[in-house]
Amino acid sequence: MVEMTLEGWTDCEQEIARTAFNTAYQRSIDRLVLDVRSQCDNLNDADSVWKLHDFLSIQRHIIEGRFDFRLDGILFVFASLVKDQLLEVEELDGLDAGKLAKIKAMALF
């Protein structure tokens, strides 16, 4: 997870954004853990172990790419987290109305 300061965001907005970002990250990891536990119940041969390995490799790539806290694209990140139900728009309350409107609109697609 990359951590950076967001230029053009107030200290309050940055605190809200970091909290929401960290919450969504933890939810993503929690989902992954549940999924892996479920898949582990079905491990019964080498092929199933390698499939789990491949799944974990892909998930690591997705999660590390998605959870990048940088100004360029942070609104897109929040929109995708809302769309994927890892974050509720209400958890971003306190951000500038324009930023919230963009996140809500992008989450629809």
Side-chain angles (χ1 to χ4, degrees):
M1 231 173 20
V2 176
E3 292 286 328
M4 298 185 78
T5 300
L6 299 174
E7 292 183 34
W9 290 53
T10 66
D11 289 342
C12 181
E13 284 182 312
Q14 288 193 55
E15 185 176 331
I16 291 164
R18 285 184 192 278
T19 299
F21 187 84
N22 292 338
T23 297
Y25 176 79
Q26 189 58 53
R27 287 178 183 149
S28 180
I29 296 302
D30 291 346
R31 281 187 187 177
L32 176 61
V33 169
L34 287 175
D35 199 3
V36 169
R37 283 187 178 143
S38 174
Q39 289 185 43
C40 284
D41 290 341
N42 297 317
L43 293 178
N44 51 23
D45 58 18
D47 190 47
S48 61
V49 171
W50 304 141
K51 285 181 182 178
L52 177 59
H53 172 270
D54 293 345
F55 170 77
L56 286 169
S57 294
I58 291 166
Q59 292 306 307
R60 181 178 184 174
H61 178 75
I62 290 169
I63 289 170
E64 287 179 351
R66 176 181 232 183
F67 288 94
D68 187 358
F69 196 84
R70 286 191 247 185
L71 180 59
D72 61 338
I74 193 68
L75 297 180
F76 290 105
V77 171
F78 283 141
S80 86
L81 295 172
V82 168
K83 184 176 182 177
D84 292 343
Q85 299 177 335
L86 290 168
L87 193 62
E88 298 292 328
V89 173
E90 293 77 23
E91 292 174 294
L92 296 167
D93 282 348
L95 295 185
D96 174 75
K99 291 173 183 146
L100 281 175
K102 288 178 185 177
I103 291 166
K104 288 176 187 177
M106 289 187 290
L108 296 175
F109 299 99

